[in-house]
Amino acid sequence: MSIIEIGKTGLRVEQNGFGALPIQRISQENAVYLLQKALSGGMTFFDTARGYTDSEEKLGQAFYGIRNKVVIASKVRADTAEDLLTQIESSLRALRTDYI
């Protein structure tokens, strides 16, 4: 796989990323296994969203304790700044991390 930089962020990840929408359809145990297998196979970028039901929780479980090995992006839908902050805080809790 090729390493790319995400925009001008300085974050470098494998070109192929993992879109976490489908993991909402499988068990926590299977999702954790799949996510960790993707990481061990070289994927380092994982994309999720508040709207993907429990995918943030599954990513949080899979990468707890090894958060520094992955880049996680999450999306929220908010109409106000206050709602945006609330949604981001919810994502951080579900992902078991302090940054996204």
Side-chain angles (χ1 to χ4, degrees):
M1 288 192 241
S2 301
I3 301 289
I4 61 166
E5 186 171 328
I6 301 175
K8 297 179 182 180
T9 64
L11 295 171
R12 297 177 55 76
V13 297
E14 292 292 338
Q15 184 173 7
N16 294 325
F18 189 103
L21 176 63
I23 65 169
Q24 67 182 335
R25 298 182 188 101
I26 62 176
S27 70
Q28 174 99 3
E29 180 181 340
N30 288 338
V32 168
Y33 173 80
L34 179 62
L35 290 161
Q36 290 176 346
K37 198 73 161 166
L39 176 61
S40 69
M43 282 191 178
T44 55
F45 179 76
F46 296 82
D47 174 71
T48 189
R50 291 287 319 135
Y52 296 174
T53 62
D54 62 352
S55 72
E56 287 182 331
E57 288 84 1
K58 290 172 178 172
L59 266 83
Q61 178 69 29
F63 301 133
Y64 184 73
I66 56 170
R67 176 64 179 88
N68 61 326
K69 295 183 179 187
V70 297
V71 173
I72 299 173
S74 192
K75 301 172 289 295
V76 300
R77 182 175 182 162
D79 295 322
T80 66
E82 181 180 342
D83 192 32
L84 175 64
L85 291 174
T86 300
Q87 293 291 317
I88 290 171
E89 289 170 359
S90 294
S91 289
L92 292 171
R93 274 192 305 279
L95 290 162
R96 301 172 72 177
T97 189
D98 59 352
Y99 65 99
I100 46 178

